[in-house]
């Protein structure tokens, strides 16, 4: 990718001009010049301005939206190609996976161009970072999102660029119905190491950054427990059992990391404290849970 950008930003050969004519002499070359630029001078590359359109599109398809815009500014003959609708539709789907899921609905809309669609979705992301409710409303006003909880959850779940703090605020304070649908999109099938699964789930809701209260954290644990049990009936772990294990793991992590707790909980104590709350779960299983938190760290970050 760096080589492509370096090529784009380098001067374009004029018709009839060869690489050696453009290459500066050894005396005038800055001795501190980038070695990568030196190598580019020695490549027998055709003039980028004269590449066939299909080759140009192939190059542009490997760039980000910002790089595509810059390429159109640097090479004048590329300006029209960088406005190609299918290129921008590809960029939309690459940056917002939600668009790939609802592509048929998006294609039914009478967009001025898919570049315009990209700019709307990019603007919505910036608004979401300031005010999550306004960000979602902006997408709804532009008929990209509906008010359906499942549709909003799909957008939030598949858009990695959204700030976690605002995501927490929106799901936990404004739209608990969307949170319900959001958790349903998680797939925990055959993931047997419960502490790792819980830890990954809670990274979407970082407690320290989101200022999660006790009730909010317990709500997340309830939603997670139901989904984990639902995805893994073969483990014979009910929602209540999973929830109790999660609470025990959370308390164990707190015990380990709190500096004022001098006598840390032992494995035997953890098993004894948890066993009565988790019928059907073996001591060995609980022991593995303890070892995971001891070696990897708390499940709540």
């Amino acid at each position: 990718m760096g080589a492509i950008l370096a090529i784009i930003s380098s001067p374009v050969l004029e018709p009839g001009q060869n690489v050696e004519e453009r290459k500066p002499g050894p005396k005038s070359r800055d001795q501190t010049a980038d070695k990568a630029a030196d190598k580019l001078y020695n490549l027998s590359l055709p003039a980028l301005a004269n590449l066939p359109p299909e080759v140009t599109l192939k190059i542009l398809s490997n760039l980000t939206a910002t790089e595509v815009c810059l390429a159109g500014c640097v090479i004048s003959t590329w300006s029209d190609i960088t406005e190609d609708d299918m290129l921008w539709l590809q960029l939309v789907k690459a940056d917002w996976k939600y668009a790939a899921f609802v592509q048929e609905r998006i294609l039914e809309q009478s967009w001025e161009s898919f570049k315009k669609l990209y700019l709307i979705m990019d603007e919505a992301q910036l608004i979401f970072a300031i005010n999550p409710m306004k960000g979602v409303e902006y997408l709804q006003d532009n008929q990209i999102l509906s008010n359906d909880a499942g549709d909003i959850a799909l957008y939030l779940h598949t858009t990695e660029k959204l700030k976690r703090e605002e995501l927490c605020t929106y799901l936990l304070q404004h739209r608990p119905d969307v949170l319900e649908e959001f958790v349903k999109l998680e797939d925990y099938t055959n993931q047997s190491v419960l502490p790792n699964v819980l830890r990954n789930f809670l990274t979407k809701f970082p407690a320290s950054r989101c200022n999660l209260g006790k009730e909010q954290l317990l709500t997340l644990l309830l939603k997670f427990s139901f989904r984990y049990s639902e995805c893994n009936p073969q483990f014979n772990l009910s929602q209540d059992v999973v929830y109790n294990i999660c609470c025990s793991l959370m308390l164990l992590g707190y015990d380990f990391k709190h500096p004022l707790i001098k006598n840390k909980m032992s494995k035997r104590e953890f098993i004894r404290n948890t066993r009565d709350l988790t019928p059907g779960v073996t001591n060995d299983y609980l022991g593995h849970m303890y070892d995971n938190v001891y070696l990897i760290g708390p499940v709540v970050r």
Side-chain angles (χ1 to χ4, degrees):
M1 188 62 66
I4 294 175
L5 292 176
I7 294 172
I8 290 174
S9 60
S10 62
V12 178
L13 289 174
E14 299 295 334
Q17 181 185 14
N18 58 42
V19 175
E20 291 302 322
E21 290 175 351
R22 189 186 66 182
K23 181 178 178 181
K27 292 183 180 180
S28 62
R29 178 182 302 170
D30 184 358
Q31 297 299 317
T32 61
D34 187 7
K35 292 181 179 180
D38 292 343
K39 291 180 180 179
L40 285 172
Y41 280 129
N42 295 321
L43 293 175
S44 296
L45 294 171
L48 293 178
N50 298 327
L51 289 174
E54 59 272 18
V55 176
T56 301
L57 275 174
K58 186 65 175 178
I59 294 173
L60 294 175
S61 67
N62 290 285
L63 305 180
T64 65
T66 302
E67 291 165 349
V68 167
C69 293
L70 289 174
C73 294
V74 172
I75 304 177
S76 59
T77 55
W78 282 17
S79 59
D80 291 337
I81 301 178
T82 56
E83 299 293 324
D84 183 81
D85 241 14
M86 289 300 101
L87 172 64
W88 280 98
L89 178 59
Q90 179 180 326
L91 288 169
V92 168
K93 292 192 291 184
D95 283 3
W96 291 280
K97 295 178 183 177
Y98 168 81
F101 286 102
V102 296
Q103 177 174 326
E104 184 176 339
R105 190 176 74 197
I106 287 177
L107 292 176
E108 291 175 354
Q109 305 276 350
S110 299
W111 297 104
E112 177 184 333
S113 68
F114 288 123
K115 182 178 181 180
K116 177 69 173 178
L117 172 62
Y118 185 99
L119 294 175
I120 290 174
M121 298 193 74
D122 190 55
E123 181 72 14
Q125 184 175 299
L126 296 175
I127 296 173
F128 189 93
I130 300 171
N131 187 321
M133 293 292 289
K134 293 292 184 182
V136 172
E137 288 173 6
Y138 183 76
L139 289 173
Q140 291 170 340
D141 291 343
N142 284 280
Q143 300 182 334
I144 296 172
L145 273 183
S146 69
N147 196 43
D148 177 69
D151 194 38
I152 298 173
L154 180 62
Y155 168 75
L156 298 177
H157 194 269
T158 56
T159 305
E160 299 175 354
K161 296 180 179 180
L162 298 178
K163 293 183 68 175
R164 296 302 181 192
E165 297 91 329
E166 280 64 39
L167 182 64
C168 289
T169 300
Y170 184 81
L171 293 175
L172 290 167
Q173 297 182 17
H174 300 298
R175 294 295 298 268
D177 57 328
V178 176
L179 174 62
E180 191 82 28
E181 298 298 324
F182 184 92
V183 177
K184 287 180 182 178
L185 294 172
E186 296 285 306
D187 185 10
Y188 303 132
T189 305
N190 294 323
Q191 297 187 35
S192 59
V193 186
L194 181 56
N196 287 349
V197 183
L198 177 60
R199 195 178 285 111
N200 290 336
F201 172 71
L202 291 178
T203 56
K204 296 178 173 66
F205 308 92
S208 58
R209 289 162 51 191
C210 296
N211 296 317
L212 294 181
K214 179 182 176 181
E215 290 185 4
Q216 292 174 322
L217 192 54
L218 293 180
T219 296
L220 290 174
L221 292 183
L222 277 171
K223 304 293 185 188
F224 168 83
S225 301
F226 178 80
R227 184 58 179 162
Y228 184 84
S229 179
E230 183 180 46
C231 288
N232 297 290
Q234 72 277 16
F235 295 157
N236 296 317
L237 297 173
S238 67
Q239 178 187 356
D240 289 341
V241 168
V242 175
Y243 176 77
N244 289 332
I245 293 175
C246 290
C247 290
S248 294
L249 292 172
M250 185 178 67
L251 293 173
L252 178 64
Y254 180 81
D255 182 273
F256 281 162
K257 73 177 183 180
H258 200 289
L260 298 180
I261 300 177
K262 302 302 180 183
N263 297 320
K264 305 301 182 183
M265 190 185 303
S266 67
K267 183 187 293 188
R268 180 176 296 180
E269 290 172 327
F270 174 77
I271 294 173
R272 185 186 65 223
N273 296 340
T274 311
R275 185 168 47 203
D276 293 340
L277 300 173
T278 55
V281 176
T282 66
N283 289 351
D284 285 342
Y285 182 85
L286 293 176
H288 290 315
M289 301 295 102
Y290 179 95
D291 291 339
N292 182 284
V293 175
Y294 181 82
L295 294 172
I296 300 179
V299 293
V300 179
R301 301 295 186 180

